Amino acid sequence: MQNYLVYSEEVAHARATGKPVVALESTIIAHGMPYPQNVQTAREVEQIIRDAGAVPATIAVIGSKIRVGLSAAELELLGTTPDVMKVSRRDLPYVLASGKMGATTVAATMICAELAGIEVFVTGGIGGVHRGAETSFDISADLQELAQTSVAVVCAGAKSILDLGLTLEYLETHGVPVISVGQRQFPAFFTRDSGFNADFQLDSAQQQAGFIRTKWQLGLRGGVLVANPVPETDAMPKTEIDAITQQALQEADSQGVAGKAVTPFLLNRIKQLTGGRSLATNIALVKNNARVGAQLAIALRG
C-alpha cells in the first residue's frame, strides 16, 4: 500500500515530528470551482491550516501515485488541466493503474487519508441522497465511506441540492454520528439551517476530539461528521437558494444530466443564477471549515 503513497516534504516532516495534519480534497479544485479561484482558494485554505498550527495535505492522484500534499506547481496543474478524472472509491484502482490524473472526492480522500494515517479531513460539503433517489437510487458514495472509514470529516453540512432528510436518515442507519458546531441545527452548505437537527452539539475542538477518540477506542469503526455552519455574514437566504436550487434541478432533469455530472452542473448553474454570490459563499465556508478542522487535528494530538 505504501508503494502508492507519496508525501510532500512538508507532510513527511509533519509525520516524522508528530505534527497534526489535515487532509484536503482535490475535486473542489478540479471540478468545484472555476480557474483561477480554485487554485487561489486551495492555497489560501492551506495557509489557514498552517497559520492555525497544523499541516495541510491536499490529496490527488498524479503519475500513478496518491500524492499526499501537493506542490504549488501540482496545485496549478490540477486546477488548469481539462478532463481531470473525478475519483471515488470505485475509480481509485483504475486511475492509479492507468496513470491518469485524478481529483479525489470526499469518499476517495477519506480512503487516502486513512491510508496515510490522517484523522481529520476538511471539505466544503458532503454528498448525500439525491432528490428522487427512490427511483434513481442516486446516493453518493460519500455516505457509505463515512460508515466504514475512520476519518473525521469537517464540512458545512450536506449540499442543499440533496434530499437532506433522507441523507441524515441514511447516516443514522449506518451509525455515523453527526456533530454540529455552535448550533443544534444541521447546516445546508449555502445556508446555516437545513430544517433538521444534528445528533449532538459539540462546540469546542476538545469536546469534538474527546467524542471522536472515544468512538474509535470503543472499536466503532467509521467516520464522524462535524457540521460547521457557514458564517452568518456569508450565508445565503434559505428561501432564495431553495428556489434557485429547484430551478437548477429542473434544468438538469430536462437536459438529461445524470450521475457524477449532476453536482458540478448544479453548483455551476446556481453560481450563474446567483450572479457569483454562491461561489463567494462556497469559498467562505471552506475557509471557515479549515479553521475548525485545524483546531480539531491539534486537539486529537493532545
Side-chain angles (χ1 to χ4, degrees), residues 42-78:
R43 288 175 175 156
E44 290 173 353
V45 168
E46 287 191 344
Q47 194 56 49
I48 286 169
I49 290 170
R50 291 187 189 100
D51 291 344
V55 172
T58 301
I59 295 175
V61 180
I62 302 173
S64 295
K65 298 290 185 182
I66 298 169
R67 307 281 173 170
V68 183
L70 301 183
S71 67
E74 287 169 334
L75 276 178
E76 191 75 20
L77 180 67
L78 195 66

Side-chain angles (χ1 to χ4, degrees), residues 9-68:
E9 186 177 331
E10 182 182 23
V11 173
H13 183 262
R15 284 167 54 84
T17 58
K19 197 167 184 181
V21 180
V22 176
L24 297 166
E25 62 159 294
S26 47
T27 291
I28 197 169
I29 303 169
H31 305 109
M33 294 182 187
Y35 183 81
Q37 289 99 328
N38 55 356
V39 175
Q40 180 182 339
T41 300
R43 288 175 175 156
E44 290 173 353
V45 168
E46 287 191 344
Q47 194 56 49
I48 286 169
I49 290 170
R50 291 187 189 100
D51 291 344
V55 172
T58 301
I59 295 175
V61 180
I62 302 173
S64 295
K65 298 290 185 182
I66 298 169
R67 307 281 173 170
V68 183

Side-chain angles (χ1 to χ4, degrees), residues 233-263:
T233 52
D234 301 295
M236 298 192 67
K238 188 175 187 300
T239 52
E240 178 189 9
I241 201 66
D242 285 350
I244 288 172
T245 298
Q246 192 59 42
Q247 179 182 338
L249 284 163
Q250 290 170 351
E251 291 177 5
D253 185 58
S254 66
Q255 294 178 34
V257 180
K260 290 195 292 186
V262 171
T263 297

Side-chain angles (χ1 to χ4, degrees), residues 114-165:
E114 187 175 51
L115 290 175
I118 301 171
E119 296 180 316
V120 178
F121 160 44
V122 164
T123 185
I126 62 162
V129 179
H130 283 259
R131 302 186 193 194
E134 63 273 13
T135 55
S136 69
F137 286 85
D138 192 353
I139 300 173
S140 171
D142 296 354
L143 300 187
Q144 190 59 39
E145 209 59 54
L146 278 159
Q148 62 186 320
T149 302
S150 298
V151 173
V153 179
V154 180
C155 67
K159 298 178 179 73
S160 51
I161 57 179
L162 303 166
D163 187 318
L164 298 182

Side-chain angles (χ1 to χ4, degrees), residues 22-23 120-126 146 151-157 181 208 212 224-228 285-286 288-294 296-297:
V22 176
V120 178
F121 160 44
V122 164
T123 185
I126 62 162
L146 278 159
V151 173
V153 179
V154 180
C155 67
V181 182
Q208 296 154 17
I212 292 164
V224 175
L225 196 65
V226 181
N228 180 42
L285 65 85
V286 172
N288 191 44
N289 293 344
R291 297 182 188 97
V292 169
L296 175 57

